[in-house]
Amino acid sequence: MTDSEPPRPGDLSPHEWARRAKDIEAEVDEYPEDRLDILCDAAEAWYQAGELSEAERCHREAAEWEGVPGEGHIWYAVFLLSGRDTARGYELLERLRQELPREPLLYEPLGEALESLDDFHGMLKWFNLGISRCYPGMPSPPDAMELARDSSLLRLLQGRRRARAALEQPEDPLDEATAVAGELFRATLDSPADESFGESFEDDEAELPPAPLVLYWLGEEIEELARRYPVLCPEVDSEEPRTEHRRVVERRAREAAQGETPLVLWGNVADFTEFCRVNELDPKWATALEEYSLRQAARGEGSSWPPGRNDPCWCSSGRKYKKCCGAPGFVEAARTTT
């Protein structure tokens, strides 16, 4: 395949996309621990610029740096399967099959890439591999309510169901449970808790949305929190407290998403300090954070979680969720905190 210009959004010219790709790559020196994410983001920008050779270079570097097959190898395979070199894409798939990762989100983009090639047998194989590898103890028959509580599993099952339908295979009990689970999950997203959040409340006495609350300190706020109240911020012991804090918040949101829609709230240290002063709370108390979270929810200071895979990430990085806090392996890279 030649370096023909791929489809791209109309907001940036090829030259602007190329400049953005160079700027993204330059971040490697500043954030070496995020090298994998940076290279994958740069590859996407080069692709949008029409520079497919540069995009492949970034994907290849990401996979080589990663070593053990994981996210970098997945996105490289997806890139190759998307038209760059399908033969090499299938070769990389074979290597991945021999060293299967245990992260369910890694299997979805592969299944979708095979779906775009109308390779429904391959698509079905990879969704089944993801399910069996990541969820070996799934009961039979499955419980639809339990399936709906794990969005990662549900997406794999929905991909499996699409592949079986494309192959004109009759629905089995797992397909039927998947259909019911999908309806339950959509009902959760359409619940009043999701609809009410994000709207401005008239005052702090307004009725609070009945949803799990997760507090996020954006950018330098987490470092200021650690400086003023280190007992509230175990992430301060990390070499990269901002990255570690994002991991902690993403993990807490995933754990809270048990049939509900968590709210990720934005905290401000100066505002938190003043809130504690006015309400005669000790900022070092965990209850102070709980009360402050409720106040932020009442004011609509936050967003529902999770965002769409292609929507901007909740952490305000400007990257797509699937390439940022929702990227495969991001949460698992977090060190244990208390």
Side-chain angles (χ1 to χ4, degrees):
M1 176 178 174
T2 61
D3 280 10
S4 58
E5 181 176 306
R8 56 178 167 267
D11 57 338
L12 295 178
S13 68
H15 175 73
E16 289 170 326
W17 273 115
R19 184 173 58 186
R20 174 174 289 189
K22 293 177 182 178
D23 290 342
I24 293 173
E25 284 198 71
E27 295 178 0
V28 169
D29 293 335
E30 186 176 359
Y31 305 105
E33 73 284 354
D34 293 330
R35 184 183 187 89
L36 182 62
D37 288 340
I38 291 171
L39 286 172
C40 288
D41 285 348
E44 183 174 350
W46 281 121
Y47 176 82
Q48 299 295 346
E51 300 286 348
L52 301 190
S53 294
E54 290 296 311
E56 181 171 356
R57 174 184 60 80
C58 288
H59 278 303
R60 185 173 59 252
E61 288 181 11
E64 291 173 353
W65 181 83
E66 184 179 44
V68 178
E71 180 185 356
H73 289 74
I74 294 294
W75 290 115
Y76 190 16
V78 169
F79 171 77
L80 293 172
L81 291 170
S82 297
R84 180 63 175 171
D85 191 330
T86 54
R88 282 197 295 141
Y90 277 105
E91 289 177 3
L92 185 51
L93 281 185
E94 182 60 24
R95 180 185 174 189
L96 289 169
R97 189 183 65 80
Q98 296 172 4
E99 302 180 64
L100 291 174
R102 289 187 178 275
E103 169 53 55
L105 293 179
L106 290 174
Y107 292 86
E108 186 178 8
L110 282 178
E112 291 177 346
L114 293 167
E115 184 176 18
S116 69
L117 294 173
D118 292 337
D119 181 0
F120 300 114
H121 287 286
M123 175 189 176
L124 179 58
K125 179 180 76 173
W126 274 94
F127 277 117
N128 278 332
L129 284 171
I131 295 166
S132 61
R133 176 66 168 170
C134 302
Y135 301 92
M138 190 165 55
S140 180
D143 181 83
M145 182 63 73
E146 292 298 321
L147 299 183
R149 289 174 176 169
D150 189 331
S151 59
S152 298
L153 171 59
L154 181 57
R155 288 199 292 268
L156 292 181
L157 292 171
Q158 289 173 330
R160 174 186 182 273
R161 185 167 180 255
R162 290 200 311 275
R164 286 171 53 81
L167 294 170
E168 298 183 345
Q169 296 182 3
E171 286 205 341
D172 60 10
L174 188 53
D175 288 330
E176 295 170 356
T178 299
V180 175
E183 293 297 328
L184 291 172
F185 185 76
R186 282 189 290 273
T188 299
L189 295 180
D190 294 336
S191 67
D194 184 63
E195 294 173 356
S196 64
F197 190 67
E199 300 175 358
S200 298
F201 288 80
E202 295 181 359
D203 55 50
D204 292 354
E205 301 301 321
E207 183 178 354
L208 299 175
L213 308 179
V214 185
L215 196 57
Y216 171 56
W217 306 88
L218 175 63
E220 62 186 15
E221 290 295 323
I222 187 61
E223 294 162 352
E224 179 64 14
L225 182 73
R227 187 184 69 80
R228 293 197 194 186
Y229 315 114
V231 70
L232 300 179
C233 185
E235 294 94 321
V236 70
D237 294 332
S238 169
E239 293 181 0
E240 293 294 331
R242 297 189 188 187
T243 301
E244 182 67 18
H245 180 54
R246 290 193 295 112
R247 285 173 175 150
V248 169
V249 172
E250 175 71 15
R251 184 173 67 248
R252 288 173 179 167
R254 294 186 187 186
E255 292 171 350
Q258 299 296 317
E260 298 185 87
T261 303
L263 309 180
V264 175
L265 307 166
W266 304 317
N268 176 277
V269 178
D271 180 54
F272 171 63
T273 301
E274 177 63 14
F275 172 81
C276 291
R277 185 191 67 80
V278 171
N279 292 277
E280 299 182 350
L281 295 171
D282 186 332
K284 296 185 289 296
W285 292 350
T287 51
L289 281 180
E290 294 172 4
E291 294 293 332
Y292 181 65
S293 297
L294 291 171
R295 199 285 300 272
Q296 293 299 87
R299 289 186 169 183
E301 296 289 341
S303 64
S304 300
W305 184 96
R309 294 178 65 243
N310 291 307
D311 292 338
C313 189
W314 57 261
C315 73
S316 300
S317 66
R319 299 176 182 176
K320 293 180 180 179
Y321 176 63
K322 69 180 181 182
K323 290 294 188 70
C324 193
C325 296
F330 178 73
V331 168
E332 289 68 20
R335 66 176 180 83
T336 302
T337 58
T338 59

